[in-house]
Amino acid sequence: MAIENEKVSASESLRKTRTYGKVRCMNPSCMGRLEPAPGSMQITCPVCGMSYRLFWVTPELPRIRGPVWEVNRKLAEEVMAKKKLEASKDGSL
Amino acid sequence: MALDRKIAYIDLSTGKSEIKPIPLEVRKKFIGGRGLDAYLLFNNAPQGCDPLGPENTLIISGGLLTATCASATSRTHIMAKSPLTGLLGSTNMGGFFSAEMAWADFHHLVITGKAEKPVYLWIHNGQIEIRDAVKLWGKSSTETQWAIREELGDQEIKSAVIGQAGENLVTYANVMTGIKNAGGRTGMGCVMGSKNLKAVAVRGTMDVKIAHPLEALEFNKKFIEQITTAKVNKTQGTLGTHFIWGATNSWGGIRTRNFQFNQMENADELEPESLDDIATETMGPYHMTGCFGCQVHCRAQYRIPSGPYAGIYNEGPEYTSFGAFGSEPDCNKAETVLTANYLVNQYGVDNLEIGSIISWAMELYELGIITSKETDGIDLRFSNADALIEMIHRICTRKGWLGNVLADGGIPASEKIGKHSFDYLIQVKGMNNLHSDERATPGLALNIATSSRGSDHLRSRPAIDLYHLPESVLRKIYSSPVPYEGPLSSDSMEYIGKPWQVFWQENCYMAVDSIGICKYHTTFLGATLPNFEDWPRAIYLNTGLELTPKDIWDAAERSNNMERLFNLREGLTRYDLVKGDMLNHRYFDEPCLRGAPDVIGIMIDRKKFDVMVDEFYGHHGWDKEGVPTQATLTRLGLEQEPTHLL
Ligand code: SF4
Ligand SMILES: [Zn+2]
């Protein structure tokens, strides 16, 4: 028959790439892998400075619960101020 | 055999029904579920028909693998011309309904006409009866299901029903089964209401002959392992889809205050982890329930903690309810979301659409476009949870001027309200957008703009790139079963290569909806979950049907073209803001103001977006207007449509 029995599909082969114990920084171009200490409740990305609150689905599986709001707001305001300054310099504002 | 399940044609005007087999050739061309529904709709609903008229054709189906030994394949699909959009109406729900329908010998019901007074269909072991439903009219979705079980004396009956929203012809009314399974987009409950069809009740005890039962069971174990070991499904099984809302809000990909902002700040009470402390019975691995044949169990059970509905049991809320009743209207109390989620399930109305339309009205109120005269004195400002709940009641019962107007859907409402109100309506093809913000993810923006049933995250959603995987991994996924050597970027903020991802995912989800699988068991949530290469064996072992991955791809592409042809026939044109593949101007003109540093200041680039649409049409074999070329139709064997083969 046309169905190949033992061939490993792309999705099956990619299972090897699953990692436990780590989360990814959620700042889109940063994406740094962060490895929180087991059971820890917070982590800061050393690259972009985003800080996150953590939740442990299982003792091996952390997930980002949400940002640390004050840090998030501060970083956002800095970026906005910088963008406004650039825009006023190149005349687009 | 699983393949022997039939199509029933039921005319509610005459009370007659006819049962026909599904020829193998048609199976191979359209597989089943949504794919075959698209074919049936195109061939049975007359061009230009009134969505609320007797000639509109309502199709209810299960997928090819529904009720077999393949897990998580009990999705029910419903299709008709949409009263909300005037284009393709199509919706999909979980639960147990379609499996029961398959055991009763049917895979597709094609319902036309209109009953003189309320009726329900009673379908059991190959028999079809039309029964009186006058006593059921006015009942909520759950009450209706219990009343039918009571009347027929069988607690195992599964029913797909409408609540009061469908009876009142709210154009985004749901079809519901169980407590919260909702066929919730494009107003299929409204079509049922227009036909005086309160419910379809099914019960089946017929054998399903599996082609290779032992091997099918053995193979399914492998499938289950692949599904349940995925990190994303472990999280899903603990927190439900709500976890996706939390994750999206973290980086600023959510809509709030009717798209004015892209993150709900300090939303701690709405985070999935908080609900364990708030609702009396929710979250955690032991409070999750699921659909027939599923090992993930993604939905929470809860009791409303306080307020007028305190103590009432319900299920969910999903991502969408947190968007619709939390972030979008900017209401930060969990109780509001839990209450609203319960109400929309009972009324049987689309949580996404009603949350969006109320939030749109809130912005119009704050802008002075509507005033307390139109709201009958309701202070319809953002964050007013009481106003939100009151508007849900008013819309579903068409009470008051605004309730009645908003029940007609966004575009008709904007025509009645006037004064630039349309500019603030965040919709595509007349259907409101999911409560996420796609400005930082051009691939997702292309997906929602071009989806066949209006703004839609369930028809393509090229979201694997949000997982920040290496490009080589993306290429592995997106080059099968059709080789792809063009550009492909693993950067979710890029425009390059995204049209192929959208095209690929579109075919993938058409296949998923046709086989009848839950999307959480496919690439919807991650690269390591099954797709084209994994399905043929499950299909072969359960049904005996030999299909290659490419055969499934071709059937999906063919079915997507059927949906496109239907939309073109009913008036879709590329740049039309009401019926086209276009986005609201806010995507192009207003920058994101919140979220992660990279997201701040981002908008969709109009020129690049246009190039993406061109490229996307090109992958489909459509011309610059989005119309399939003759060569494409011939390649797919659609040059003779409409054929009325069935
Ligand atoms: S993952 Fe959730 S929606 Fe899908 S089949 Fe399982 S319980 Fe149903
Ligand atoms: Zn970072």
mmCIF file with all atom_site columns, all heavy atoms in Angstrom, chain B residues 72 75 289-291 294 296-299 518 520-521, ligand 1:
data_model
loop_
_atom_site.group_PDB
_atom_site.id
_atom_site.type_symbol
_atom_site.label_atom_id
_atom_site.label_alt_id
_atom_site.label_comp_id
_atom_site.label_asym_id
_atom_site.label_entity_id
_atom_site.label_seq_id
_atom_site.pdbx_PDB_ins_code
_atom_site.Cartn_x
_atom_site.Cartn_y
_atom_site.Cartn_z
_atom_site.occupancy
_atom_site.B_iso_or_equiv
_atom_site.pdbx_formal_charge
_atom_site.auth_seq_id
_atom_site.auth_comp_id
_atom_site.auth_asym_id
_atom_site.auth_atom_id
_atom_site.pdbx_PDB_model_num
ATOM   1   N  N   . ALA B 1 72  ? -9.354  12.201 19.452 1.00 0.00 ? 72  ALA B N   1
ATOM   2   C  CA  . ALA B 1 72  ? -9.663  13.632 19.284 1.00 0.00 ? 72  ALA B CA  1
ATOM   3   C  C   . ALA B 1 72  ? -10.190 13.974 17.909 1.00 0.00 ? 72  ALA B C   1
ATOM   4   O  O   . ALA B 1 72  ? -9.817  14.978 17.306 1.00 0.00 ? 72  ALA B O   1
ATOM   5   C  CB  . ALA B 1 72  ? -8.436  14.473 19.608 1.00 0.00 ? 72  ALA B CB  1
ATOM   6   N  N   . ARG B 1 75  ? -14.820 16.499 16.178 1.00 0.00 ? 75  ARG B N   1
ATOM   7   C  CA  . ARG B 1 75  ? -15.255 17.874 15.884 1.00 0.00 ? 75  ARG B CA  1
ATOM   8   C  C   . ARG B 1 75  ? -16.505 17.836 15.011 1.00 0.00 ? 75  ARG B C   1
ATOM   9   O  O   . ARG B 1 75  ? -16.630 17.013 14.105 1.00 0.00 ? 75  ARG B O   1
ATOM   10  C  CB  . ARG B 1 75  ? -14.154 18.635 15.141 1.00 0.00 ? 75  ARG B CB  1
ATOM   11  C  CG  . ARG B 1 75  ? -12.842 18.754 15.884 1.00 0.00 ? 75  ARG B CG  1
ATOM   12  C  CD  . ARG B 1 75  ? -12.915 19.559 17.146 1.00 0.00 ? 75  ARG B CD  1
ATOM   13  N  NE  . ARG B 1 75  ? -13.214 20.958 16.945 1.00 0.00 ? 75  ARG B NE  1
ATOM   14  C  CZ  . ARG B 1 75  ? -13.215 21.866 17.926 1.00 0.00 ? 75  ARG B CZ  1
ATOM   15  N  NH1 . ARG B 1 75  ? -12.919 21.495 19.167 1.00 0.00 ? 75  ARG B NH1 1
ATOM   16  N  NH2 . ARG B 1 75  ? -13.515 23.114 17.692 1.00 0.00 ? 75  ARG B NH2 1
ATOM   17  N  N   . THR B 1 289 ? -11.926 18.981 31.893 1.00 0.00 ? 289 THR B N   1
ATOM   18  C  CA  . THR B 1 289 ? -12.738 18.002 31.175 1.00 0.00 ? 289 THR B CA  1
ATOM   19  C  C   . THR B 1 289 ? -12.436 18.105 29.684 1.00 0.00 ? 289 THR B C   1
ATOM   20  O  O   . THR B 1 289 ? -11.687 18.987 29.268 1.00 0.00 ? 289 THR B O   1
ATOM   21  C  CB  . THR B 1 289 ? -14.237 18.207 31.506 1.00 0.00 ? 289 THR B CB  1
ATOM   22  O  OG1 . THR B 1 289 ? -14.981 17.192 30.836 1.00 0.00 ? 289 THR B OG1 1
ATOM   23  C  CG2 . THR B 1 289 ? -14.748 19.556 31.065 1.00 0.00 ? 289 THR B CG2 1
ATOM   24  N  N   . GLY B 1 290 ? -12.988 17.184 28.898 1.00 0.00 ? 290 GLY B N   1
ATOM   25  C  CA  . GLY B 1 290 ? -12.595 17.169 27.489 1.00 0.00 ? 290 GLY B CA  1
ATOM   26  C  C   . GLY B 1 290 ? -13.672 16.642 26.563 1.00 0.00 ? 290 GLY B C   1
ATOM   27  O  O   . GLY B 1 290 ? -14.771 16.312 26.984 1.00 0.00 ? 290 GLY B O   1
ATOM   28  N  N   . CYS B 1 291 ? -13.309 16.587 25.281 1.00 0.00 ? 291 CYS B N   1
ATOM   29  C  CA  . CYS B 1 291 ? -14.221 16.086 24.247 1.00 0.00 ? 291 CYS B CA  1
ATOM   30  C  C   . CYS B 1 291 ? -14.055 14.571 24.105 1.00 0.00 ? 291 CYS B C   1
ATOM   31  O  O   . CYS B 1 291 ? -13.108 13.991 24.625 1.00 0.00 ? 291 CYS B O   1
ATOM   32  C  CB  . CYS B 1 291 ? -13.895 16.722 22.898 1.00 0.00 ? 291 CYS B CB  1
ATOM   33  S  SG  . CYS B 1 291 ? -13.861 18.509 22.923 1.00 0.00 ? 291 CYS B SG  1
ATOM   34  N  N   . CYS B 1 294 ? -10.431 12.441 23.636 1.00 0.00 ? 294 CYS B N   1
ATOM   35  C  CA  . CYS B 1 294 ? -9.274  13.349 23.764 1.00 0.00 ? 294 CYS B CA  1
ATOM   36  C  C   . CYS B 1 294 ? -8.489  13.044 25.035 1.00 0.00 ? 294 CYS B C   1
ATOM   37  O  O   . CYS B 1 294 ? -9.070  12.735 26.074 1.00 0.00 ? 294 CYS B O   1
ATOM   38  C  CB  . CYS B 1 294 ? -9.752  14.789 23.818 1.00 0.00 ? 294 CYS B CB  1
ATOM   39  S  SG  . CYS B 1 294 ? -8.406  15.938 24.186 1.00 0.00 ? 294 CYS B SG  1
ATOM   40  N  N   . VAL B 1 296 ? -6.066  15.324 26.063 1.00 0.00 ? 296 VAL B N   1
ATOM   41  C  CA  . VAL B 1 296 ? -5.502  16.585 26.562 1.00 0.00 ? 296 VAL B CA  1
ATOM   42  C  C   . VAL B 1 296 ? -6.389  17.186 27.653 1.00 0.00 ? 296 VAL B C   1
ATOM   43  O  O   . VAL B 1 296 ? -5.905  17.638 28.683 1.00 0.00 ? 296 VAL B O   1
ATOM   44  C  CB  . VAL B 1 296 ? -5.301  17.595 25.400 1.00 0.00 ? 296 VAL B CB  1
ATOM   45  C  CG1 . VAL B 1 296 ? -4.856  18.943 25.947 1.00 0.00 ? 296 VAL B CG1 1
ATOM   46  C  CG2 . VAL B 1 296 ? -4.264  17.063 24.419 1.00 0.00 ? 296 VAL B CG2 1
ATOM   47  N  N   . HIS B 1 297 ? -7.692  17.153 27.446 1.00 0.00 ? 297 HIS B N   1
ATOM   48  C  CA  . HIS B 1 297 ? -8.642  17.736 28.405 1.00 0.00 ? 297 HIS B CA  1
ATOM   49  C  C   . HIS B 1 297 ? -8.292  19.187 28.689 1.00 0.00 ? 297 HIS B C   1
ATOM   50  O  O   . HIS B 1 297 ? -7.723  19.513 29.720 1.00 0.00 ? 297 HIS B O   1
ATOM   51  C  CB  . HIS B 1 297 ? -8.659  16.922 29.709 1.00 0.00 ? 297 HIS B CB  1
ATOM   52  C  CG  . HIS B 1 297 ? -9.444  15.668 29.578 1.00 0.00 ? 297 HIS B CG  1
ATOM   53  N  ND1 . HIS B 1 297 ? -10.152 15.121 30.616 1.00 0.00 ? 297 HIS B ND1 1
ATOM   54  C  CD2 . HIS B 1 297 ? -9.671  14.867 28.515 1.00 0.00 ? 297 HIS B CD2 1
ATOM   55  C  CE1 . HIS B 1 297 ? -10.769 14.021 30.204 1.00 0.00 ? 297 HIS B CE1 1
ATOM   56  N  NE2 . HIS B 1 297 ? -10.481 13.859 28.924 1.00 0.00 ? 297 HIS B NE2 1
ATOM   57  N  N   . CYS B 1 298 ? -8.686  20.048 27.784 1.00 0.00 ? 298 CYS B N   1
ATOM   58  C  CA  . CYS B 1 298 ? -8.188  21.418 27.861 1.00 0.00 ? 298 CYS B CA  1
ATOM   59  C  C   . CYS B 1 298 ? -9.132  22.395 28.532 1.00 0.00 ? 298 CYS B C   1
ATOM   60  O  O   . CYS B 1 298 ? -8.834  23.565 28.618 1.00 0.00 ? 298 CYS B O   1
ATOM   61  C  CB  . CYS B 1 298 ? -7.830  21.914 26.467 1.00 0.00 ? 298 CYS B CB  1
ATOM   62  S  SG  . CYS B 1 298 ? -9.248  22.403 25.491 1.00 0.00 ? 298 CYS B SG  1
ATOM   63  N  N   . ARG B 1 299 ? -10.314 21.957 28.964 1.00 0.00 ? 299 ARG B N   1
ATOM   64  C  CA  . ARG B 1 299 ? -11.184 22.990 29.519 1.00 0.00 ? 299 ARG B CA  1
ATOM   65  C  C   . ARG B 1 299 ? -11.497 22.815 30.989 1.00 0.00 ? 299 ARG B C   1
ATOM   66  O  O   . ARG B 1 299 ? -11.797 21.739 31.470 1.00 0.00 ? 299 ARG B O   1
ATOM   67  C  CB  . ARG B 1 299 ? -12.451 23.117 28.742 1.00 0.00 ? 299 ARG B CB  1
ATOM   68  C  CG  . ARG B 1 299 ? -13.142 21.817 28.546 1.00 0.00 ? 299 ARG B CG  1
ATOM   69  C  CD  . ARG B 1 299 ? -14.124 22.090 27.558 1.00 0.00 ? 299 ARG B CD  1
ATOM   70  N  NE  . ARG B 1 299 ? -14.118 21.259 26.419 1.00 0.00 ? 299 ARG B NE  1
ATOM   71  C  CZ  . ARG B 1 299 ? -15.145 20.478 26.159 1.00 0.00 ? 299 ARG B CZ  1
ATOM   72  N  NH1 . ARG B 1 299 ? -16.133 20.406 26.998 1.00 0.00 ? 299 ARG B NH1 1
ATOM   73  N  NH2 . ARG B 1 299 ? -15.159 19.784 25.074 1.00 0.00 ? 299 ARG B NH2 1
ATOM   74  N  N   . CYS B 1 518 ? -9.270  17.720 16.370 1.00 0.00 ? 518 CYS B N   1
ATOM   75  C  CA  . CYS B 1 518 ? -9.134  18.962 17.125 1.00 0.00 ? 518 CYS B CA  1
ATOM   76  C  C   . CYS B 1 518 ? -7.801  19.614 16.765 1.00 0.00 ? 518 CYS B C   1
ATOM   77  O  O   . CYS B 1 518 ? -6.768  18.947 16.719 1.00 0.00 ? 518 CYS B O   1
ATOM   78  C  CB  . CYS B 1 518 ? -9.185  18.657 18.622 1.00 0.00 ? 518 CYS B CB  1
ATOM   79  S  SG  . CYS B 1 518 ? -8.679  20.065 19.609 1.00 0.00 ? 518 CYS B SG  1
ATOM   80  N  N   . TYR B 1 520 ? -5.838  21.366 18.429 1.00 0.00 ? 520 TYR B N   1
ATOM   81  C  CA  . TYR B 1 520 ? -4.778  21.287 19.444 1.00 0.00 ? 520 TYR B CA  1
ATOM   82  C  C   . TYR B 1 520 ? -3.968  19.999 19.338 1.00 0.00 ? 520 TYR B C   1
ATOM   83  O  O   . TYR B 1 520 ? -3.001  19.804 20.051 1.00 0.00 ? 520 TYR B O   1
ATOM   84  C  CB  . TYR B 1 520 ? -5.366  21.422 20.855 1.00 0.00 ? 520 TYR B CB  1
ATOM   85  C  CG  . TYR B 1 520 ? -6.054  22.738 21.051 1.00 0.00 ? 520 TYR B CG  1
ATOM   86  C  CD1 . TYR B 1 520 ? -7.244  22.833 21.752 1.00 0.00 ? 520 TYR B CD1 1
ATOM   87  C  CD2 . TYR B 1 520 ? -5.525  23.911 20.505 1.00 0.00 ? 520 TYR B CD2 1
ATOM   88  C  CE1 . TYR B 1 520 ? -7.887  24.048 21.901 1.00 0.00 ? 520 TYR B CE1 1
ATOM   89  C  CE2 . TYR B 1 520 ? -6.163  25.122 20.654 1.00 0.00 ? 520 TYR B CE2 1
ATOM   90  C  CZ  . TYR B 1 520 ? -7.336  25.186 21.346 1.00 0.00 ? 520 TYR B CZ  1
ATOM   91  O  OH  . TYR B 1 520 ? -7.979  26.389 21.489 1.00 0.00 ? 520 TYR B OH  1
ATOM   92  N  N   . HIS B 1 521 ? -4.382  19.123 18.436 1.00 0.00 ? 521 HIS B N   1
ATOM   93  C  CA  . HIS B 1 521 ? -3.637  17.884 18.198 1.00 0.00 ? 521 HIS B CA  1
ATOM   94  C  C   . HIS B 1 521 ? -2.881  17.970 16.880 1.00 0.00 ? 521 HIS B C   1
ATOM   95  O  O   . HIS B 1 521 ? -2.531  16.956 16.289 1.00 0.00 ? 521 HIS B O   1
ATOM   96  C  CB  . HIS B 1 521 ? -4.598  16.693 18.188 1.00 0.00 ? 521 HIS B CB  1
ATOM   97  C  CG  . HIS B 1 521 ? -5.266  16.476 19.521 1.00 0.00 ? 521 HIS B CG  1
ATOM   98  N  ND1 . HIS B 1 521 ? -5.098  15.333 20.255 1.00 0.00 ? 521 HIS B ND1 1
ATOM   99  C  CD2 . HIS B 1 521 ? -6.073  17.278 20.249 1.00 0.00 ? 521 HIS B CD2 1
ATOM   100 C  CE1 . HIS B 1 521 ? -5.792  15.442 21.379 1.00 0.00 ? 521 HIS B CE1 1
ATOM   101 N  NE2 . HIS B 1 521 ? -6.388  16.610 21.391 1.00 0.00 ? 521 HIS B NE2 1
HETATM 102 S  S1  . SF4 C 2 .   ? -7.814  19.482 23.274 1.00 0.00 ? 1   SF4 C S1  1
HETATM 103 FE FE1 . SF4 C 2 .   ? -9.611  20.429 24.206 1.00 0.00 ? 1   SF4 C FE1 1
HETATM 104 S  S2  . SF4 C 2 .   ? -10.932 21.068 22.477 1.00 0.00 ? 1   SF4 C S2  1
HETATM 105 FE FE2 . SF4 C 2 .   ? -9.426  19.578 21.696 1.00 0.00 ? 1   SF4 C FE2 1
HETATM 106 S  S3  . SF4 C 2 .   ? -10.446 17.603 21.764 1.00 0.00 ? 1   SF4 C S3  1
HETATM 107 FE FE3 . SF4 C 2 .   ? -9.291  17.854 23.676 1.00 0.00 ? 1   SF4 C FE3 1
HETATM 108 S  S4  . SF4 C 2 .   ? -10.725 18.755 25.162 1.00 0.00 ? 1   SF4 C S4  1
HETATM 109 FE FE4 . SF4 C 2 .   ? -11.613 19.001 23.089 1.00 0.00 ? 1   SF4 C FE4 1
#
